[in-house]
Amino acid sequence: SDDPVVGVAAYRSRLLPLLSLQAMLGLSSATASERSKIVVSDIAGTLVGLIADQTRAILQVPDGEADAPPAVLAARAGGESQIKAIYRGEGGRRLVSILDPEQIFRGDVMQRLSQEKAGARPSGAEASADIEAPDNYLAFRLGDHEFALPIGAVIEVAEVPRQITKLPRAPAFLEGVINFRGEMTPVVDQRRRFDLAAGDDERRRLVVVKTERHRAALIVDSVSEVLSAPASAIDPAPDLAGFEAQLVTGVINLTQRDRIVMVLDPSELLSRAERSLLDAFEAGEADAK
C-alpha cells in the first residue's frame, strides 16, 4: 500500500482506514507504538483514522492567538504547507501547528472521497447506528481507576502549570489558584480529594471544567482519550455509599478492551462544603474587581 496507509480497523459497524500522520507530513515512514492514538476525523464527509504518536491535551484556542503561517512555509510543498495556522500558547512560549484535515490529502484524493461519499447510502447496521447519536466523554485516570466527564463540561485539558499560587488556610484538596485565560481559577488536586497516594508528576494533566455555578481546574493522573458512547451503552451506576453515590452517574463498559470507565457528574465533583468555599472565593474575586 501507499507509505502513509497502515491498514484498516473496525469502527462502529464500518471499516475505518488508518493512516500515519508522520508519513503524511513527511516526518518519517508509517509507524505505530503502544502510546500511539487514533484521531478519528471527518474528511470531506468520510471518516478516517489518523495515527498520532500520542495525545497531550485538548486546547481551546481564543480569538487572536492563532496566526496564519509565514508565507515562506505556505509556499513550500512539504508537510509545512499543510499547516493552517499556528497557535501561540502560554504567551508565545508554546507554538502548536494547527492542521486543516482537508489540506492533508492531495486534491485528487479529496475529489475521490467527495464522490464516494455522494454515492454512498447507509444501510443495515450502519443506518441503525446513525439513529442514536453517541455522546462524547473525556476519560482520565486516578490511581488504578478510570473516570470520564461529559465533554461539554470540559473547557480545556492542559499540562499542570509549574506555578500555582497557594492560599492561606485552604483545605488540603485545594492546591491553590492559577490565572487561566485572564481569570483566577481554583486548582483542585483530585488525588488528595480521594485520599490517594502521589502519582507520576510527568503524566499529570489539568482538566478545566465548568458547572452551572463554578469553574475549576482538576489535577488528574493522566488523560486517556475522548470516548464516544450512546446512552444505551451506559450501564446504571453501581451501589455506592456516601459522596461517591452522587458522584458516579453511570458506567461505560468497554468489554472488548477489558475496561470499565465510571462517568462522573460535573456538578457533584465538589462536596457541598467545597462548593461553599468556592462560592466565597469567587465572591472575594468579584469584590476585588
mmCIF file of all heavy atoms in Angstrom, residues 8-49:
data_model
loop_
_atom_site.group_PDB
_atom_site.id
_atom_site.type_symbol
_atom_site.label_atom_id
_atom_site.label_comp_id
_atom_site.label_asym_id
_atom_site.label_seq_id
_atom_site.Cartn_x
_atom_site.Cartn_y
_atom_site.Cartn_z
ATOM 1 N N VAL A 8 -6.596 -1.063 8.125
ATOM 2 C CA VAL A 8 -7.982 -0.726 8.440
ATOM 3 C C VAL A 8 -8.325 -1.286 9.813
ATOM 4 O O VAL A 8 -7.654 -2.187 10.324
ATOM 5 C CB VAL A 8 -8.967 -1.287 7.379
ATOM 6 C CG1 VAL A 8 -8.746 -0.640 6.029
ATOM 7 C CG2 VAL A 8 -8.828 -2.801 7.285
ATOM 8 N N ALA A 9 -9.384 -0.744 10.410
ATOM 9 C CA ALA A 9 -9.865 -1.218 11.703
ATOM 10 C C ALA A 9 -11.391 -1.157 11.697
ATOM 11 O O ALA A 9 -11.985 -0.339 10.989
ATOM 12 C CB ALA A 9 -9.306 -0.377 12.851
ATOM 13 N N ALA A 10 -12.017 -2.037 12.480
ATOM 14 C CA ALA A 10 -13.466 -1.999 12.638
ATOM 15 C C ALA A 10 -13.835 -0.843 13.554
ATOM 16 O O ALA A 10 -13.266 -0.681 14.620
ATOM 17 C CB ALA A 10 -13.965 -3.320 13.212
ATOM 18 N N TYR A 11 -14.797 -0.043 13.126
ATOM 19 C CA TYR A 11 -15.199 1.136 13.904
ATOM 20 C C TYR A 11 -16.680 1.391 13.675
ATOM 21 O O TYR A 11 -17.098 1.765 12.579
ATOM 22 C CB TYR A 11 -14.375 2.358 13.480
ATOM 23 C CG TYR A 11 -14.726 3.638 14.206
ATOM 24 C CD1 TYR A 11 -14.303 3.861 15.510
ATOM 25 C CD2 TYR A 11 -15.484 4.624 13.581
ATOM 26 C CE1 TYR A 11 -14.622 5.034 16.177
ATOM 27 C CE2 TYR A 11 -15.806 5.806 14.244
ATOM 28 C CZ TYR A 11 -15.374 6.000 15.535
ATOM 29 O OH TYR A 11 -15.684 7.164 16.198
ATOM 30 N N ARG A 12 -17.506 1.135 14.689
ATOM 31 C CA ARG A 12 -18.950 1.397 14.628
ATOM 32 C C ARG A 12 -19.593 0.809 13.378
ATOM 33 O O ARG A 12 -20.165 1.502 12.556
ATOM 34 C CB ARG A 12 -19.222 2.893 14.682
ATOM 35 C CG ARG A 12 -18.830 3.510 16.008
ATOM 36 C CD ARG A 12 -19.310 4.939 16.060
ATOM 37 N NE ARG A 12 -18.683 5.644 17.157
ATOM 38 C CZ ARG A 12 -18.669 6.956 17.288
ATOM 39 N NH1 ARG A 12 -19.241 7.709 16.381
ATOM 40 N NH2 ARG A 12 -18.083 7.520 18.317
ATOM 41 N N SER A 13 -19.454 -0.486 13.217
ATOM 42 C CA SER A 13 -20.095 -1.236 12.133
ATOM 43 C C SER A 13 -19.617 -0.813 10.747
ATOM 44 O O SER A 13 -20.338 -0.943 9.760
ATOM 45 C CB SER A 13 -21.627 -1.083 12.210
ATOM 46 O OG SER A 13 -22.113 -1.478 13.459
ATOM 47 N N ARG A 14 -18.392 -0.303 10.664
ATOM 48 C CA ARG A 14 -17.829 0.036 9.364
ATOM 49 C C ARG A 14 -16.319 -0.162 9.428
ATOM 50 O O ARG A 14 -15.758 -0.368 10.501
ATOM 51 C CB ARG A 14 -18.169 1.483 8.986
ATOM 52 C CG ARG A 14 -17.419 2.522 9.812
ATOM 53 C CD ARG A 14 -17.864 3.927 9.467
ATOM 54 N NE ARG A 14 -19.177 4.194 10.040
ATOM 55 C CZ ARG A 14 -19.859 5.301 9.810
ATOM 56 N NH1 ARG A 14 -19.391 6.214 8.992
ATOM 57 N NH2 ARG A 14 -21.029 5.510 10.382
ATOM 58 N N LEU A 15 -15.672 -0.095 8.280
ATOM 59 C CA LEU A 15 -14.216 -0.186 8.227
ATOM 60 C C LEU A 15 -13.627 1.213 8.189
ATOM 61 O O LEU A 15 -14.058 2.066 7.405
ATOM 62 C CB LEU A 15 -13.770 -0.980 6.989
ATOM 63 C CG LEU A 15 -14.036 -2.481 7.036
ATOM 64 C CD1 LEU A 15 -13.595 -3.138 5.725
ATOM 65 C CD2 LEU A 15 -13.306 -3.129 8.209
ATOM 66 N N LEU A 16 -12.653 1.428 9.057
ATOM 67 C CA LEU A 16 -12.010 2.735 9.171
ATOM 68 C C LEU A 16 -10.596 2.653 8.618
ATOM 69 O O LEU A 16 -9.761 1.906 9.140
ATOM 70 C CB LEU A 16 -11.964 3.165 10.644
ATOM 71 C CG LEU A 16 -11.367 4.538 10.943
ATOM 72 C CD1 LEU A 16 -12.337 5.636 10.528
ATOM 73 C CD2 LEU A 16 -11.044 4.668 12.432
ATOM 74 N N PRO A 17 -10.274 3.391 7.542
ATOM 75 C CA PRO A 17 -8.890 3.396 7.043
ATOM 76 C C PRO A 17 -7.976 4.112 8.021
ATOM 77 O O PRO A 17 -8.330 5.158 8.567
ATOM 78 C CB PRO A 17 -8.992 4.150 5.713
ATOM 79 C CG PRO A 17 -10.217 4.987 5.843
ATOM 80 C CD PRO A 17 -11.171 4.230 6.722
ATOM 81 N N LEU A 18 -6.799 3.535 8.250
ATOM 82 C CA LEU A 18 -5.833 4.103 9.193
ATOM 83 C C LEU A 18 -4.627 4.625 8.427
ATOM 84 O O LEU A 18 -4.022 3.906 7.623
ATOM 85 C CB LEU A 18 -5.383 3.038 10.204
ATOM 86 C CG LEU A 18 -6.481 2.380 11.044
ATOM 87 C CD1 LEU A 18 -5.879 1.334 11.963
ATOM 88 C CD2 LEU A 18 -7.246 3.421 11.848
ATOM 89 N N LEU A 19 -4.268 5.879 8.688
ATOM 90 C CA LEU A 19 -3.134 6.500 8.024
ATOM 91 C C LEU A 19 -2.211 7.142 9.050
ATOM 92 O O LEU A 19 -2.670 7.675 10.059
ATOM 93 C CB LEU A 19 -3.597 7.557 7.015
ATOM 94 C CG LEU A 19 -4.469 7.034 5.864
ATOM 95 C CD1 LEU A 19 -5.929 7.274 6.168
ATOM 96 C CD2 LEU A 19 -4.093 7.699 4.551
ATOM 97 N N SER A 20 -0.921 7.094 8.775
ATOM 98 C CA SER A 20 0.078 7.651 9.679
ATOM 99 C C SER A 20 0.250 9.141 9.395
ATOM 100 O O SER A 20 0.589 9.547 8.279
ATOM 101 C CB SER A 20 1.412 6.934 9.490
ATOM 102 O OG SER A 20 2.463 7.645 10.122
ATOM 103 N N LEU A 21 0.014 9.976 10.429
ATOM 104 C CA LEU A 21 0.235 11.408 10.272
ATOM 105 C C LEU A 21 1.715 11.722 10.045
ATOM 106 O O LEU A 21 2.057 12.647 9.321
ATOM 107 C CB LEU A 21 -0.278 12.144 11.508
ATOM 108 C CG LEU A 21 -1.729 12.635 11.471
ATOM 109 C CD1 LEU A 21 -2.120 13.237 12.803
ATOM 110 C CD2 LEU A 21 -1.945 13.640 10.356
ATOM 111 N N GLN A 22 2.587 10.945 10.681
ATOM 112 C CA GLN A 22 4.023 11.177 10.485
ATOM 113 C C GLN A 22 4.395 11.069 9.012
ATOM 114 O O GLN A 22 5.091 11.911 8.460
ATOM 115 C CB GLN A 22 4.839 10.163 11.301
ATOM 116 C CG GLN A 22 5.026 10.543 12.744
ATOM 117 C CD GLN A 22 6.345 10.033 13.311
ATOM 118 O OE1 GLN A 22 7.248 9.670 12.567
ATOM 119 N NE2 GLN A 22 6.459 10.008 14.613
ATOM 120 N N ALA A 23 3.904 9.990 8.370
ATOM 121 C CA ALA A 23 4.241 9.786 6.962
ATOM 122 C C ALA A 23 3.576 10.833 6.082
ATOM 123 O O ALA A 23 4.176 11.330 5.119
ATOM 124 C CB ALA A 23 3.817 8.382 6.537
ATOM 125 N N MET A 24 2.340 11.205 6.414
ATOM 126 C CA MET A 24 1.624 12.168 5.583
ATOM 127 C C MET A 24 2.268 13.544 5.645
ATOM 128 O O MET A 24 2.185 14.324 4.697
ATOM 129 C CB MET A 24 0.160 12.236 6.014
ATOM 130 C CG MET A 24 -0.597 10.930 5.798
ATOM 131 S SD MET A 24 -2.319 11.014 6.339
ATOM 132 C CE MET A 24 -3.000 12.053 5.049
ATOM 133 N N LEU A 25 2.897 13.868 6.782
ATOM 134 C CA LEU A 25 3.554 15.164 6.934
ATOM 135 C C LEU A 25 5.029 15.111 6.550
ATOM 136 O O LEU A 25 5.752 16.093 6.717
ATOM 137 C CB LEU A 25 3.409 15.665 8.376
ATOM 138 C CG LEU A 25 1.969 15.946 8.830
ATOM 139 C CD1 LEU A 25 1.937 16.316 10.305
ATOM 140 C CD2 LEU A 25 1.343 17.047 7.998
ATOM 141 N N GLY A 26 5.478 13.944 6.071
ATOM 142 C CA GLY A 26 6.862 13.820 5.634
ATOM 143 C C GLY A 26 7.862 13.770 6.755
ATOM 144 O O GLY A 26 9.044 14.076 6.556
ATOM 145 N N LEU A 27 7.434 13.364 7.967
ATOM 146 C CA LEU A 27 8.349 13.307 9.108
ATOM 147 C C LEU A 27 9.114 11.995 9.152
ATOM 148 O O LEU A 27 10.263 11.955 9.549
ATOM 149 C CB LEU A 27 7.572 13.508 10.413
ATOM 150 C CG LEU A 27 6.838 14.842 10.531
ATOM 151 C CD1 LEU A 27 6.019 14.889 11.819
ATOM 152 C CD2 LEU A 27 7.821 15.997 10.502
ATOM 153 N N SER A 28 8.454 10.895 8.796
ATOM 154 C CA SER A 28 9.106 9.583 8.769
ATOM 155 C C SER A 28 8.162 8.612 8.102
ATOM 156 O O SER A 28 7.070 8.980 7.656
ATOM 157 C CB SER A 28 9.448 9.107 10.192
ATOM 158 O OG SER A 28 8.255 8.839 10.912
ATOM 159 N N SER A 29 8.557 7.344 8.044
ATOM 160 C CA SER A 29 7.684 6.315 7.486
ATOM 161 C C SER A 29 6.594 5.975 8.490
ATOM 162 O O SER A 29 6.648 6.359 9.653
ATOM 163 C CB SER A 29 8.493 5.062 7.138
ATOM 164 O OG SER A 29 9.141 4.570 8.294
ATOM 165 N N ALA A 30 5.583 5.228 8.020
ATOM 166 C CA ALA A 30 4.437 4.897 8.864
ATOM 167 C C ALA A 30 4.846 3.935 9.969
ATOM 168 O O ALA A 30 5.308 2.829 9.711
ATOM 169 C CB ALA A 30 3.328 4.278 8.011
ATOM 170 N N THR A 31 4.700 4.360 11.225
ATOM 171 C CA THR A 31 4.996 3.512 12.375
ATOM 172 C C THR A 31 3.919 3.710 13.428
ATOM 173 O O THR A 31 3.183 4.687 13.405
ATOM 174 C CB THR A 31 6.375 3.859 12.992
ATOM 175 O OG1 THR A 31 6.374 5.237 13.394
ATOM 176 C CG2 THR A 31 7.496 3.609 11.994
ATOM 177 N N ALA A 32 3.828 2.787 14.356
ATOM 178 C CA ALA A 32 2.887 2.893 15.469
ATOM 179 C C ALA A 32 3.496 2.207 16.678
ATOM 180 O O ALA A 32 4.306 1.291 16.553
ATOM 181 C CB ALA A 32 1.539 2.265 15.113
ATOM 182 N N SER A 33 3.131 2.666 17.872
ATOM 183 C CA SER A 33 3.646 2.099 19.107
ATOM 184 C C SER A 33 2.504 1.946 20.096
ATOM 185 O O SER A 33 1.351 2.274 19.797
ATOM 186 C CB SER A 33 4.741 2.999 19.695
ATOM 187 O OG SER A 33 4.182 4.230 20.136
ATOM 188 N N GLU A 34 2.812 1.457 21.292
ATOM 189 C CA GLU A 34 1.785 1.276 22.309
ATOM 190 C C GLU A 34 1.169 2.595 22.746
ATOM 191 O O GLU A 34 0.028 2.623 23.210
ATOM 192 C CB GLU A 34 2.386 0.553 23.526
ATOM 193 C CG GLU A 34 2.781 -0.897 23.249
ATOM 194 C CD GLU A 34 3.323 -1.571 24.484
ATOM 195 O OE1 GLU A 34 3.460 -0.886 25.515
ATOM 196 O OE2 GLU A 34 3.609 -2.780 24.428
ATOM 197 N N ARG A 35 1.887 3.694 22.612
ATOM 198 C CA ARG A 35 1.377 5.005 23.040
ATOM 199 C C ARG A 35 0.649 5.734 21.914
ATOM 200 O O ARG A 35 0.092 6.805 22.133
ATOM 201 C CB ARG A 35 2.530 5.874 23.553
ATOM 202 C CG ARG A 35 3.260 5.305 24.751
ATOM 203 C CD ARG A 35 4.225 6.308 25.334
ATOM 204 N NE ARG A 35 3.537 7.463 25.898
ATOM 205 C CZ ARG A 35 4.161 8.518 26.418
ATOM 206 N NH1 ARG A 35 5.483 8.554 26.426
ATOM 207 N NH2 ARG A 35 3.487 9.526 26.914
ATOM 208 N N SER A 36 0.654 5.171 20.703
ATOM 209 C CA SER A 36 0.000 5.834 19.582
ATOM 210 C C SER A 36 -1.497 5.953 19.824
ATOM 211 O O SER A 36 -2.110 5.105 20.479
ATOM 212 C CB SER A 36 0.259 5.058 18.285
ATOM 213 O OG SER A 36 1.630 5.035 17.970
ATOM 214 N N LYS A 37 -2.091 7.011 19.284
ATOM 215 C CA LYS A 37 -3.522 7.243 19.384
ATOM 216 C C LYS A 37 -4.104 7.419 17.986
ATOM 217 O O LYS A 37 -3.438 7.922 17.084
ATOM 218 C CB LYS A 37 -3.822 8.502 20.218
ATOM 219 C CG LYS A 37 -3.354 8.422 21.659
ATOM 220 C CD LYS A 37 -4.141 7.408 22.460
ATOM 221 C CE LYS A 37 -3.723 7.418 23.917
ATOM 222 N NZ LYS A 37 -4.437 6.404 24.710
ATOM 223 N N ILE A 38 -5.346 6.989 17.818
ATOM 224 C CA ILE A 38 -6.054 7.170 16.556
ATOM 225 C C ILE A 38 -7.024 8.337 16.717
ATOM 226 O O ILE A 38 -7.898 8.299 17.570
ATOM 227 C CB ILE A 38 -6.811 5.895 16.145
ATOM 228 C CG1 ILE A 38 -5.828 4.749 15.902
ATOM 229 C CG2 ILE A 38 -7.645 6.142 14.890
ATOM 230 C CD1 ILE A 38 -6.500 3.422 15.605
ATOM 231 N N VAL A 39 -6.847 9.362 15.899
ATOM 232 C CA VAL A 39 -7.746 10.512 15.894
ATOM 233 C C VAL A 39 -8.713 10.317 14.727
ATOM 234 O O VAL A 39 -8.308 10.365 13.563
ATOM 235 C CB VAL A 39 -6.967 11.833 15.733
ATOM 236 C CG1 VAL A 39 -7.915 13.021 15.756
ATOM 237 C CG2 VAL A 39 -5.918 11.969 16.828
ATOM 238 N N VAL A 40 -9.980 10.066 15.051
ATOM 239 C CA VAL A 40 -10.977 9.836 14.009
ATOM 240 C C VAL A 40 -11.463 11.193 13.508
ATOM 241 O O VAL A 40 -12.007 11.991 14.275
ATOM 242 C CB VAL A 40 -12.155 8.994 14.537
ATOM 243 C CG1 VAL A 40 -13.172 8.756 13.431
ATOM 244 C CG2 VAL A 40 -11.642 7.668 15.077
ATOM 245 N N SER A 41 -11.248 11.450 12.225
ATOM 246 C CA SER A 41 -11.559 12.751 11.630
ATOM 247 C C SER A 41 -12.529 12.589 10.471
ATOM 248 O O SER A 41 -12.522 11.574 9.771
ATOM 249 C CB SER A 41 -10.282 13.437 11.123
ATOM 250 O OG SER A 41 -9.355 13.618 12.176
ATOM 251 N N ASP A 42 -13.352 13.613 10.293
ATOM 252 C CA ASP A 42 -14.278 13.671 9.165
ATOM 253 C C ASP A 42 -13.579 14.410 8.034
ATOM 254 O O ASP A 42 -13.382 15.621 8.100
ATOM 255 C CB ASP A 42 -15.564 14.383 9.583
ATOM 256 C CG ASP A 42 -16.635 14.317 8.500
ATOM 257 O OD1 ASP A 42 -16.270 14.352 7.308
ATOM 258 O OD2 ASP A 42 -17.829 14.229 8.838
ATOM 259 N N ILE A 43 -13.204 13.686 6.978
ATOM 260 C CA ILE A 43 -12.521 14.262 5.833
ATOM 261 C C ILE A 43 -13.493 14.242 4.660
ATOM 262 O O ILE A 43 -13.796 13.188 4.113
ATOM 263 C CB ILE A 43 -11.235 13.493 5.460
ATOM 264 C CG1 ILE A 43 -10.354 13.275 6.694
ATOM 265 C CG2 ILE A 43 -10.487 14.222 4.362
ATOM 266 C CD1 ILE A 43 -9.749 14.522 7.260
ATOM 267 N N ALA A 44 -14.013 15.402 4.299
ATOM 268 C CA ALA A 44 -14.967 15.515 3.186
ATOM 269 C C ALA A 44 -16.130 14.552 3.353
ATOM 270 O O ALA A 44 -16.603 13.950 2.393
ATOM 271 C CB ALA A 44 -14.250 15.274 1.853
ATOM 272 N N GLY A 45 -16.613 14.398 4.588
ATOM 273 C CA GLY A 45 -17.757 13.538 4.838
ATOM 274 C C GLY A 45 -17.419 12.074 5.010
ATOM 275 O O GLY A 45 -18.314 11.248 5.167
ATOM 276 N N THR A 46 -16.125 11.710 4.993
ATOM 277 C CA THR A 46 -15.689 10.327 5.167
ATOM 278 C C THR A 46 -14.842 10.221 6.428
ATOM 279 O O THR A 46 -13.949 11.049 6.649
ATOM 280 C CB THR A 46 -14.866 9.855 3.951
ATOM 281 O OG1 THR A 46 -15.677 9.935 2.778
ATOM 282 C CG2 THR A 46 -14.393 8.423 4.143
ATOM 283 N N LEU A 47 -15.110 9.226 7.277
ATOM 284 C CA LEU A 47 -14.332 9.041 8.492
ATOM 285 C C LEU A 47 -12.999 8.379 8.172
ATOM 286 O O LEU A 47 -12.938 7.359 7.489
ATOM 287 C CB LEU A 47 -15.106 8.185 9.495
ATOM 288 C CG LEU A 47 -16.348 8.833 10.109
ATOM 289 C CD1 LEU A 47 -16.983 7.902 11.135
ATOM 290 C CD2 LEU A 47 -16.006 10.169 10.761
ATOM 291 N N VAL A 48 -11.922 8.964 8.710
ATOM 292 C CA VAL A 48 -10.563 8.472 8.503
ATOM 293 C C VAL A 48 -9.864 8.460 9.852
ATOM 294 O O VAL A 48 -10.020 9.392 10.653
ATOM 295 C CB VAL A 48 -9.795 9.369 7.505
ATOM 296 C CG1 VAL A 48 -8.348 8.910 7.369
ATOM 297 C CG2 VAL A 48 -10.474 9.366 6.147
ATOM 298 N N GLY A 49 -9.092 7.406 10.135
ATOM 299 C CA GLY A 49 -8.327 7.322 11.369
ATOM 300 C C GLY A 49 -6.900 7.787 11.149
ATOM 301 O O GLY A 49 -6.161 7.188 10.373
#
